[in-house]
Amino acid sequence: MTTPPETLSFRRASQEDVPALVALYDGAARWMQGTGIDQWQPGEKDAAHFRSRIEEGEVWLALTGDGRAAGAYELWWRDEPAWGARPPEAGYVHRLMTDRTLAPAGTGRALLAHAEQRIAAAGRPLSRLDFKASSPGLRAYYERAGYAVAGEQPFKEGGGGSNYAVVLMEKRLG
């Protein structure tokens, strides 16, 4: 723990940040596995994934005072696979991740707050996210951050959706 969260800075990720994003994801996946959270697998999101997300949308980094990546998240402006076709009323937070060896306590919440500020600044009143239904720890984490369950997308055998059940949560902003 090097700095308190209030000293974190945020900036959009660039293609030069792709190796750091892959390392953040894999580290977060290993931590999740070690704590019994059934969400991500190391190697599941590679450099091509993050290059594409940077080109197509918003990927944000939280940086420590010395410029190291303490965490990141993806911000999507629609998420039809999980939420279906919806009017432009929300931003969708994906891949909220921190470096557990570097990030100060509260970095995850700081990232989430930054995403919510971006969403509100875009004039959208809702922040949405989703996670595997088999991860009750994540549900509790997001509930403590003010999110409420908005539904569940069940497992859809044979394609047409997720290959696991997903909890959908949202938070009204402002």
Side-chain angles (χ1 to χ4, degrees):
M1 309 274 180
T2 59
T3 58
E6 54 271 5
T7 64
L8 291 172
S9 62
F10 295 88
R11 72 167 171 79
R12 282 182 89 153
S14 68
Q15 294 296 332
E16 290 76 36
D17 297 311
V18 166
L21 290 164
V22 171
L24 275 168
Y25 182 89
D26 287 345
R30 283 189 295 276
W31 177 82
M32 286 179 179
Q33 286 181 326
T35 59
I37 297 173
D38 178 28
Q39 184 70 15
W40 298 346
Q41 302 298 317
E44 194 172 43
K45 301 295 179 196
D46 61 7
H49 167 85
F50 289 105
R51 278 195 296 274
S52 173
R53 294 312 313 157
I54 290 168
E55 282 181 24
E56 296 172 7
E58 294 187 28
V59 179
W60 288 86
L61 291 168
L63 304 171
T64 61
D66 60 2
R68 294 184 291 168
Y73 69 91
E74 297 174 12
L75 179 57
W76 300 7
W77 296 108
R78 62 186 169 163
D79 186 359
E80 292 183 16
W83 290 83
R86 301 277 181 126
E89 63 191 4
Y92 301 85
V93 181
H94 287 277
R95 252 118 1 246
L96 180 69
M97 52 193 169
T98 62
D99 179 337
R100 305 292 294 190
T101 64
L102 175 66
T107 297
R109 271 305 161 79
L111 285 158
L112 196 53
H114 186 267
E116 292 164 1
Q117 290 167 1
R118 296 276 314 139
I119 294 164
R124 297 188 180 199
L126 298 169
S127 176
R128 292 183 174 143
L129 49 84
D130 62 77
F131 54 88
K132 285 184 181 180
S134 59
S135 300
L138 289 178
R139 178 178 175 160
Y141 177 81
Y142 291 122
E143 284 175 339
R144 287 191 304 271
Y147 285 76
V149 174
E152 186 170 314
Q153 180 192 75
F155 166 73
K156 294 181 181 176
E157 196 167 336
S162 181
N163 60 357
Y164 47 83
V166 175
V167 174
L168 306 172
M169 296 187 84
E170 68 183 12
K171 177 180 180 179
R172 183 155 297 280
L173 305 175

